[in-house]
């Protein structure tokens, strides 16, 4: 996890809970992500830098400098070789993890860039900014190949579905939109929140999308059924981020209340290993996109009239809060050696 307190905290969630606190950034940390193999962490900060960390007690990290304003997001490519960063300097930069240097910069946005993500096969980058555009980039030619615009507001977060055929954007205007990047069509438009949406995460099956909003709630959308199925309460104030676990059996959320909540899903009927294998077959770099990955079937608007199940852990799951773990401070040491 990362926070405006300038720290990264690595949580050991199994028996004998521990929290390892990494210091290095000198301003708020805005984004953090594990590499696909779990061997490296990348973080972004208002201090204009991206940092790479070895998540161990030695505290090794390297600073990647190049942005001239706050960095808002970081994301690894599927092979873990590259990191993409988005910044308030209106630029997107792609970095080599192995050589710890800048590879290239993408120019097009005319406002602050809030988020940039690699597609599952690494061939495409999707980005969104306060210029009200969502851009699609070809990583080989380093050009913008398509752009979606939203006149109502700007996208605060963007991500690919597991097959890489669709993107979802979270909007400052309370909406969540799904776009087909092959036909360039808007597939779904959900307006189920009462305030801006800050973050979204696809379930590994691609059938569900979870959203985090300034209205203090998380919501789970059934994309096949085109409906809202769960509204989750628990944070006291805006919910800033949310992410499904790799298998989809859990998800974590972070809020302005300085809390991280860990949730268990009730999608137990799914065999998660089969889900992951199935999606790997679809997203492998040599496979063409699968036509069945285009859901939903229509682009009609989904409003708040849909009923959903309300879940409030305060009432439904009493006395389940984990006691605060022992915090171990990790001091900065040498830079990462390749």
């Amino acid at each position: 996890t990362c926070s405006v307190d300038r720290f990264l905290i690595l949580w050991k969630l199994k028996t004998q809970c521990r929290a390892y606190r990494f210091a290095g950034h000198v301003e708020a940390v805005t984004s953090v992500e594990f590499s696909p193999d779990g061997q490296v962490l990348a973080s972004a900060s208002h201090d204009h830098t991206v940092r790479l960390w070895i998540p161990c007690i030695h505290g090794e990290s390297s600073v990647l400098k190049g942005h001239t304003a706050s960095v808002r997001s970081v994301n690894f490519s599927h092979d873990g070789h590259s990191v993409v960063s988005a910044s308030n300097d209106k630029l997107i930069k792609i970095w080599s993890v192995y050589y710890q240097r800048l590879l290239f910069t993408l120019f097009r946005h005319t406002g602050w860039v809030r988020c940039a993500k690699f597609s599952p096969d690494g061939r495409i980058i999707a980005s969104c900014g306060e210029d009200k555009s969502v851009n699609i980039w070809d990583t080989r030619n380093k050009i913008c190949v398509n752009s979606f615009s939203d006149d109502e507001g700007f996208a605060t977060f963007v991500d690919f579905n597991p097959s890489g055929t669709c993107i979802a954007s979270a909007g400052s205007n309370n909406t969540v939109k799904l776009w087909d990047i092959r036909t360039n069509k808007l597939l779904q438009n959900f307006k189920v929140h009462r305030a801006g949406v800050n973050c979204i995460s696809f379930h590994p099956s691609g059938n569900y999308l979870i959203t985090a909003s300034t209205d203090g709630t998380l919501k789970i959308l059934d994309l096949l059924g085109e409906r809202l199925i769960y509204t989750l309460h628990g944070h006291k104030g805006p919910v800033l981020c949310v992410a499904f676990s790799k298998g989809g059996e859990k998800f974590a959320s972070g809020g302005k209340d300085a809390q991280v909540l860990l949730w268990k899903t009730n999608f137990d009927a799914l065999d998660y290993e089969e889900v992951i294998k199935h999606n790997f077959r679809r997203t492998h770099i040599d496979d063409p996109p699968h036509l069945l990955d285009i859901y939903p079937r229509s682009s009609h608007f989904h409003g708040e009239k849909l009923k959903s199940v309300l879940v409030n852990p305060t009432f439904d799951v009493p006395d389940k809060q984990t006691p605060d773990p022992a915090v171990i401070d990790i001091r900065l040491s040498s830079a990462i050696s390749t």
Side-chain angles (χ1 to χ4, degrees), residues 152-172:
E152 301 169 4
F154 61 86
T156 58
F157 194 90
V158 67
D159 203 3
F160 287 88
N161 70 340
S163 67
T165 57
C166 300
I167 57 169
S169 61
S172 63

Side-chain angles (χ1 to χ4, degrees), residues 227-230 304-309:
R227 65 193 180 102
L228 167 65
I229 50 175
Y230 291 106
E304 289 186 80
K305 61 184 179 183
L306 292 168
K307 290 184 178 180
S308 66
V309 178

Side-chain angles (χ1 to χ4, degrees), residues 173-184:
N173 60 335
N174 315 354
T175 63
V176 175
K177 294 184 177 181
L178 269 76
W179 311 81
D180 175 5
I181 62 172
R182 298 173 299 179
T183 61
N184 303 328

